[in-house]
Amino acid sequence: LIPRAHTNTHTHSALLCARAREVIPLNEQASEEILKVEQKYNKLRQPFFQKRSELIAKIPNFWVTTFVNHPQVSALLGEEDEEALHYLSRVEVTEFEDIKSGYRIDFYFDENPYFENKALSKEFNVNESGDPVSKSTEIKWKAGKDLTKRTGQTPNKAGKKRQHEEPESFFTWFTDHSDAGADELGEVIKDDIWPNPLQYYLVPDMEDEEGDDDDDDDEEEGLEDIDEGEEEEGEDDDEDGDGEDGEVRSSWSVDSNRPVTLKCLFSSVH
């Protein structure tokens, strides 16, 4: 005989499986609706991204600074990669009409001593079988400048903090199509950097501001100590005597808001 408790457990498990199967169509419908919303807002974002690209183009070394400041991308950059990326003038990410089919990342370069290409692209999509695949621009390296054939590049300053002691060239990414469905660098650029590159471009400035705030606090504390000392001296002077008209003299009355004023001056520099 099968224990009744075991029978009940089996029955409940079967019911749970049935309920789970019932919700599958709803989940699929939800995914389709979410994709439609993403497609709609991707189109609405394009004019803003275009204006943003025009502004970024006016900022020297914007993209190389952004990549060097990104913790994952910086681990892939050697010093020569960083030098080459100083010629990177524009980055564009394009998600295809059917988001599920993939996206493309375009890198636009000024004239540089490393390769002939004005633009390098890597595209991710799915083939007829539904498997993820990728393809990219062939880099036309100038003589002796192929960074993908140089081993043991010295890591850049940011990369020294990472696990990669001797990173491969960033540009090997354009020739690596081994796992298009899990391309970490492509996903990082598309989903993390592209929506808001400014957050990484400004990383050092933000850290400096935090340090400056600490300095301002220390400065203000020091000024408060000085002011307290001056106030005590003023009280001592008052005990010695009053003014000619009987008015009490106070050295503090000369500049009662000096700490605030100085703090504003320090803040205005940054």
Side-chain angles (χ1 to χ4, degrees):
L1 296 176
I2 301 175
R4 184 171 181 177
H6 179 77
T7 302
N8 288 340
T9 299
H10 179 76
T11 301
H12 292 154
S13 296
L15 289 172
L16 282 173
C17 288
R19 298 293 84 81
R21 286 194 294 270
E22 288 176 357
V23 81
I24 288 176
L26 285 176
N27 290 339
E28 292 176 347
Q29 182 180 351
S31 297
E32 292 296 329
E33 294 296 328
I34 290 171
L35 282 175
K36 290 179 182 178
V37 172
E38 289 182 352
Q39 289 171 341
K40 173 185 176 181
Y41 283 94
N42 277 341
K43 290 181 179 179
L44 293 175
R45 292 188 189 103
Q46 294 312 308
F48 297 96
F49 286 157
Q50 181 60 39
K51 292 178 181 178
R52 185 185 71 180
S53 293
E54 293 172 359
L55 291 173
I56 288 176
K58 300 176 182 179
I59 303 175
N61 301 323
F62 180 90
W63 285 110
V64 65
T65 302
T66 297
F67 286 163
V68 167
N69 288 342
H70 191 283
Q72 290 170 273
V73 179
S74 66
L76 305 175
L77 300 178
E79 286 187 356
E80 289 183 301
D81 292 325
E82 185 176 336
E83 288 298 320
L85 289 175
H86 272 82
Y87 297 92
L88 178 61
S89 59
R90 193 166 95 242
V91 174
E92 299 286 346
V93 174
T94 303
E95 296 196 65
F96 300 147
E97 186 70 21
D98 178 4
I99 295 178
K100 292 186 293 184
S101 67
Y103 61 96
R104 185 182 69 252
I105 305 177
D106 299 307
F107 302 79
Y108 297 89
F109 290 84
D110 294 329
E111 182 69 28
N112 65 81
Y114 294 94
F115 43 80
E116 301 290 348
N117 310 70
K118 299 298 182 183
L120 299 177
S121 301
K122 188 166 185 178
E123 182 177 309
F124 301 85
N125 47 38
V126 293
N127 58 22
E128 295 179 355
S129 303
D131 298 322
V133 294
S134 64
K135 60 182 180 179
S136 59
T137 307
E138 180 183 356
I139 304 177
K140 300 177 180 178
W141 296 101
K142 294 182 178 180
K145 294 294 185 177
D146 188 345
L147 300 182
T148 64
K149 293 182 178 179
R150 300 182 183 185
T151 58
Q153 280 200 62
T154 304
N156 62 21
K157 294 180 180 178
K160 289 179 180 177
K161 301 177 182 178
R162 315 300 170 193
Q163 296 178 354
H164 303 272
E165 293 298 329
E166 294 183 352
E168 290 185 348
S169 172
F170 168 84
F171 293 92
T172 59
W173 176 68
F174 289 94
T175 60
D176 182 7
H177 305 289
S178 58
D179 193 2
D183 192 294
E184 184 177 358
L185 180 55
E187 294 293 330
V188 164
I189 295 174
K190 177 175 73 75
D191 296 330
D192 189 17
I193 295 178
W194 174 248
N196 184 16
L198 192 63
Q199 64 178 321
Y200 295 107
Y201 176 78
L202 294 177
V203 165
D205 290 338
M206 293 170 65
E207 292 176 351
D208 290 343
E209 287 180 3
E210 291 177 359
D212 292 338
D213 288 341
D214 294 337
D215 293 341
D216 290 344
D217 292 339
D218 294 340
E219 184 72 24
E220 186 172 355
E221 289 176 2
L223 291 170
E224 288 175 353
D225 293 339
I226 294 173
D227 294 332
E228 288 175 0
E230 292 178 348
E231 187 171 356
E232 290 176 359
E233 291 177 1
E235 291 175 356
D236 292 340
D237 292 340
D238 293 341
E239 292 176 359
D240 293 338
D242 297 337
E244 295 179 359
D245 298 328
E247 296 178 354
V248 177
R249 293 191 299 271
S250 172
S251 60
W252 176 241
S253 63
V254 176
D255 190 5
S256 60
N257 66 341
R258 180 168 53 181
V260 177
T261 303
L262 288 175
K263 185 175 182 181
C264 291
L265 288 173
F266 284 117
S267 300
S268 65
V269 175
H270 304 282

